Amino acid sequence: MAEKDILPEDEIHLMREEPFSCTLCGRCCMTFGKYIKIDRQTGPQDYLCTETVTGTSFSVRVEDRFLPLFRRPSPQWTHPSACPFLRQGGEGFICTVHGSRPPVCRSYTCCGMRVMREGAVVGELRGRRDLKTGDAGLRAIWDEQIRRLDLPDPEWRRRVSDILEIEGFETAWYV
């Protein structure tokens, strides 16, 4: 796509933004056990922990409603790098300390945007600027036109939306 194919400033559309809805898949927390170490239990529901990358100490509290779930075996038996506070419940994987989770967890974004074509999700923005897709056409557009963009986030998001819209895709950004 040539630079002329980018929508001019006066024609830039408003990006579609939606609140993110967690599906409780647990994928985000399956590797957080590498980053969260329980140092000691400080009360019946309270734990002193360390965030291993920065060495920062923090306290968490297992929420009352999740105590029965927390008493179940951790998924670390089958997923050794899972967060020690993650548990599998009837509706999916649950963070048993969600209300007191540390900053590293609060700042994590598992999916920043979904890319759709004809109503079907064909790609997801994972991490900061990585695309997960099985759609060869979308992958080619991403690799050829988007990956090389070096713009600040708000402008990058607008440009990505413009490029994908011109190519026949829709985007939904999660806030």
Side-chain angles (χ1 to χ4, degrees):
M1 176 191 312
E3 188 68 29
K4 67 178 178 51
D5 293 330
I6 302 297
L7 297 174
E9 280 297 317
D10 59 344
E11 292 182 31
I12 289 180
H13 64 281
L14 294 175
M15 291 186 308
R16 179 172 147 196
E17 293 183 341
E18 300 176 352
F20 179 76
S21 178
C22 180
T23 62
L24 304 177
C25 70
R27 284 180 276 179
C28 55
C29 301
M30 285 299 174
T31 60
F32 270 34
K34 295 184 249 181
Y35 309 110
I36 296 175
K37 179 180 143 248
I38 297 175
D39 295 321
R40 70 178 186 272
Q41 188 169 357
T42 58
Q45 297 170 237
D46 303 300
Y47 294 84
L48 181 63
C49 304
T50 301
E51 196 269 293
T52 61
V53 173
T54 63
T56 305
S57 292
F58 62 93
S59 296
V60 294
R61 180 177 185 83
V62 176
E63 296 177 30
D64 291 341
R65 64 189 173 138
F66 297 135
L67 270 173
L69 195 61
F70 185 71
R71 291 183 181 116
R72 292 184 189 171
S74 164
Q76 289 180 319
W77 289 101
T78 53
H79 302 288
S81 60
C83 174
F85 297 104
L86 183 68
R87 294 296 186 273
Q88 190 165 10
E91 57 274 349
F93 287 91
I94 307 291
C95 173
T96 60
V97 297
H98 192 264
S100 61
R101 69 195 184 281
V104 67
C105 299
R106 290 179 189 276
S107 65
Y108 179 80
T109 302
C110 73
C111 180
M113 170 193 65
R114 289 211 165 91
V115 182
M116 289 140 315
R117 179 172 261 163
E118 299 175 4
V121 175
V122 294
E124 293 181 336
L125 183 65
R126 294 297 176 102
R128 189 160 177 266
R129 293 187 175 181
D130 294 321
L131 180 72
K132 179 183 175 194
T133 185
D135 184 295
L138 176 58
R139 170 57 59 201
I141 293 164
W142 192 269
D143 290 346
E144 294 166 13
Q145 300 178 49
I146 296 173
R147 184 179 306 282
R148 64 184 167 87
L149 293 175
D150 185 23
L151 301 167
D153 278 346
E155 189 178 341
W156 183 82
R157 286 177 171 225
R158 283 192 298 275
R159 185 67 62 90
V160 168
S161 290
D162 290 344
I163 291 169
L164 293 175
E165 184 177 295
I166 288 167
E167 296 290 344
F169 295 94
E170 292 177 61
T171 58
W173 294 88
Y174 294 107
V175 291

